Structure formats: structure tokens, C-alpha cells
Amino acid sequence: MAEARAAKKKTTPGQKESIRPLISANRIQKRIRALAKEIRRDFPGERLHLVSVLKGGVFFLTDLARSIPGEVSFDFIAVSSYGQNTRSSGQVRLTRDLDSSIEGRTVIVVEDILDTGMTLHYLLSLFQQRKPKHLRVAVLLDKPERRIAAVRADYVGFSIPNEFVVGYGLDYSERYRNLPYVGILTLGSALKGRGTE
Ligand code: IMP
Ligand code: MG
């Protein structure tokens, strides 16, 4: 239903989208290097298996993976969620599963943003059933004000206010993912706090 949500947000003629920079490319890179160190410090000498959620988490995963010393492998998963009015984690659906088993592995779920928490809540219960050795969560951005599901990330890049952000993997109707920085997208008040996959 990402499409349905995104469709609601299409620009109408006369409306002007604008992006106000929130976190610079430099700050993002610096913070990721610090997170990578922290993760390696928590699991010295272990092979870390990074699992990212397509597509938004991919930029974060590739930069994080390159900053973690030692052995790292990764895999991808894709989900779709059902609209903004959903109140239960059962409303998230898996559209692409992992290629390999996570049993006995030290798994770090790498996500672009933790918003309502429904996606992560769903993924964490799914992964827990697969018996990883450790299961941790790294998110670049956290919007604590929007939380519905009881989940928290172990590694957080930046805590941000309840604004719709784009860039560094985050999109608005599949656009702006390629921006090297994170910015607040404004398109009238209708955008506030909305998310897409
Ligand atoms: P959650 O299940 O509500 O935590 O949703 C998380 C997903 O919603 C993220 O992985 C993003 O794909 C998307 N999302 C949430 N907030 C934003 C935003 O501000 N900009 C772009 N996408 C967002
Ligand atoms: Mg996402």
C-alpha cells in the first residue's frame, strides 16, 4: 500500500516542493563511523550479519558495512505495510525473504528510519523465531514521537522531530533517495509525519 499512500502525496500543479537540509552528508558519515565502532566493540571478533530492509535502508547498510572492521556479511528483506491507519503489526507483509538462514548468527537489522515501529516489530518477531545468536537493531533516524509499537533500536544515528524527511535512502514517491544528506520535505501541511516504504 506504499503506492496508495504515495499517490495521496502526489504534487498538484502550483504546489512547490522544497527540501530544508536537516543532517548534512558529513554529519551522517561521521555518525555512521561512530556507530560502526560501537557495534564492533559490542561484538569483538564476531562475524556480523547485517540485514537491511529494501529499499530505504540500503544506503545506510553499505556505508555502515564499509566502516565495520572484521568479518561482515549481509542480506536483504522487503516488506509492504498497509496504510497509515493500521494499528497492528500483523498488517506488515513480507514481500521478499532473506536468501540465507540466520540461525546461530549475530544479526543486526539495519533500517533507514524508525517511525511507528510497526515494520521493525514485525521483523523482530519473525527473526526471533529463526533463532539467531544475537538480534540487534541499527537505525539511522528515529522519530520517537510517532511510535505505536513497543520497539527500540540498539544503535540510533539521529533522533529527529516528527517531520517528513527524504534523502540518504528515504523517498517521497521513490524520489530523493539519492540525496547524500537528509532534509525535511515540505509540500503544505498534508505531508507532516507521513511515511512510505
Ligand atoms: P514504521 O513501520 O512506521 O516504523 O515505518 C518505517 C518505514 O516508513 C521506514 O522504513 C520508511 O520507509 C518509512 N518512513 C517513515 N518515516 C518516513 C519519512 O519521514 N520519510 C520517508 N519515509 C519514511
Ligand atoms: Mg524503510
Side-chain angles (χ1 to χ4, degrees):
M1 285 282 245
E3 299 76 21
R5 277 198 275 165
K8 279 191 215 147
K9 296 184 291 181
K10 282 262 178 324
T11 315
T12 52
Q15 268 183 311
K16 204 170 157 17
E17 286 172 27
S18 65
I19 297 167
R20 187 155 41 93
L22 181 68
I23 310 168
S24 73
N26 269 347
R27 278 183 72 207
I28 293 173
Q29 296 304 326
K30 217 173 142 190
R31 184 74 187 117
I32 290 176
R33 285 195 292 272
L35 288 177
K37 260 191 200 160
E38 201 182 323
I39 292 171
R40 179 47 84 202
R41 209 182 302 130
D42 290 349
F43 299 100
E46 283 207 38
R47 170 168 165 191
L48 299 171
H49 193 58
L50 307 186
V51 168
S52 188
V53 185
L54 294 171
K55 308 167 204 165
V58 171
F59 290 68
F60 182 32
L61 176 132
T62 57
D63 282 337
L64 189 67
R66 280 177 288 189
S67 297
I68 299 176
E71 215 185 327
V72 171
S73 54
F74 48 81
D75 203 346
F76 300 95
I77 201 158
V79 293
S80 71
S81 58
Y82 291 84
Q84 309 172 67
N85 300 325
T86 48
R87 285 286 178 271
S88 107
S89 58
Q91 304 271 336
V92 179
R93 193 168 55 92
L94 193 66
T95 58
R96 184 210 186 272
D97 205 343
L98 299 171
D99 286 337
S100 54
S101 165
I102 55 167
E103 191 173 338
R105 289 181 164 179
T106 297
V107 174
I108 318 267
V109 179
V110 179
E111 251 286 52
D112 49 5
I113 188 165
L114 178 50
D115 188 34
T116 64
M118 306 225 315
T119 309
L120 266 177
H121 186 265
Y122 168 83
L123 288 178
L124 292 176
S125 29
L126 180 75
F127 291 161
Q128 204 67 67
Q129 291 164 24
R130 298 181 180 183
K131 302 186 171 57
K133 183 177 175 193
H134 300 284
L135 184 59
R136 299 288 186 272
V137 174
V139 296
L140 181 72
L141 307 172
D142 184 11
K143 269 192 216 174
E145 280 173 62
R146 292 257 304 164
R147 201 78 82 253
I148 293 172
V151 286
R152 50 169 288 280
D154 302 283
Y155 308 98
V156 176
F158 303 91
S159 203
I160 63 166
N162 184 12
E163 300 278 4
F164 191 84
V165 290
V166 292
Y168 199 77
L170 290 147
D171 74 306
Y172 165 60
S173 293
E174 293 300 323
R175 294 158 56 218
Y176 304 117
R177 289 195 198 273
N178 58 322
L179 294 177
Y181 61 92
V182 169
I184 296 173
L185 180 72
T186 41
L187 169 63
S189 57
L191 263 175
K192 269 205 146 186
R194 295 250 179 115
T196 65
E197 273 57 55

